[in-house]
Amino acid sequence: MSKGFRIGDLEIGSGFLMIGGPCAIESEEQLFETAKAIKDKIQILRGGAFKPRTKPGSFEGLGVEGLKILKKVSQELNIPTVTEVLDTRDVETAAEYTDILQIGARNMQNYELLKEAGKTGKLILLKRGLAATIEEWLSAAEYILKEGNDKVILCERGIRTFETETRFTLDIAGALIAKQKSDFPVIIDPSHGTGRKELIKPLVLAAKAAGLDGAMVEVHWKPKEAKCDKDQALTPDQFNLIL
Ligand code: PEP
Ligand code: MN
């Protein structure tokens, strides 16, 4: 049984947790309109202020300005938030603006970042690395625990395989094993895990049927205009329909 953590009134690890929101925070209007439209279907709002991009020159996020927008929208709509940190130097600042800190796939084995994030005492959403074994993923979580912080959610977001039809291969079996082997809630991210919108609904259902703890989905008020991951973002209507 996974541990339960509280964020205000929200009990994490009790029901099926839905996290939704845009890949990146682009403007106050974009985040507010997206969040408002899906607010009733999510427990946590996501939005990246610091974006790890495969190719230099891509939109890397609004930084602290993005964090400020996230906090403002969170307060206006009374919804907790998660946002990614990429750099130890930003951890303390990010922790002032969000309820949950995300460690992304590319930083799963950035041990200094794990320690720094752990020290804040915040809930940490730890994604599985693109090529990390389950053992390595759980070891990464131990770095957070070692800081006296046991508030961790694990997120399976797809791993690298030979398959190219999907962006990554979403390892639901791996997510289940991570759940068996640890006390943490384990959720999936079918948006990054597949890169394909039409697979999001069946995979959220699969996660729920399998007894996993939740899902994180990218939603954008105008996906065609998204500055990041536009092909995998659902519109609020599409997202609400699934939920
Ligand atoms: C994200 O959730 O915004 C993200 C970049 O995910 P990942 O680290 O899984 O690629
Ligand atoms: Mn994304």
Side-chain angles (χ1 to χ4, degrees), residues 22-24 46 51 127 167 189 191-192 218 228-229 232:
C23 181
R46 64 153 286 147
K51 296 302 305 175
K127 289 202 159 190
R167 191 175 171 190
D189 172 350
S191 300
H192 292 94
E218 285 189 343
C228 186
D229 287 347
Q232 69 197 33

Side-chain angles (χ1 to χ4, degrees), residues 18 43 56 72 91 109 114 128 138-140 172 190 203 228 239:
M18 278 309 306
Q43 286 78 49
K72 191 163 179 225
V91 169
Q109 287 178 309
L114 292 168
R128 182 178 180 184
L138 297 178
S139 297
I172 293 205
L203 287 169
C228 186
F239 178 76

Side-chain angles (χ1 to χ4, degrees), residues 170 188-196 199-200 203-204 215-217:
L170 189 78
I188 60 158
D189 172 350
S191 300
H192 292 94
T194 67
R196 294 174 67 143
L199 297 180
I200 290 172
L203 287 169
V204 170
M216 175 154 88
V217 173

Side-chain angles (χ1 to χ4, degrees), residues 40-89:
D40 295 341
K41 306 283 190 216
I42 56 173
Q43 286 78 49
I44 294 167
L45 173 67
R46 64 153 286 147
F50 302 102
K51 296 302 305 175
R53 303 307 301 272
T54 304
K55 288 203 170 72
S58 309
F59 178 62
E60 290 184 67
L62 298 178
V64 176
E65 190 196 331
L67 294 176
K68 289 183 179 162
I69 293 173
L70 185 66
K71 178 102 184 174
K72 191 163 179 225
V73 171
S74 162
Q75 286 172 336
E76 278 167 0
L77 297 175
N78 190 27
I79 187 154
T81 59
V82 58
T83 197
E84 179 169 358
V85 273
L86 300 179
D87 191 316
T88 50
R89 292 169 295 185

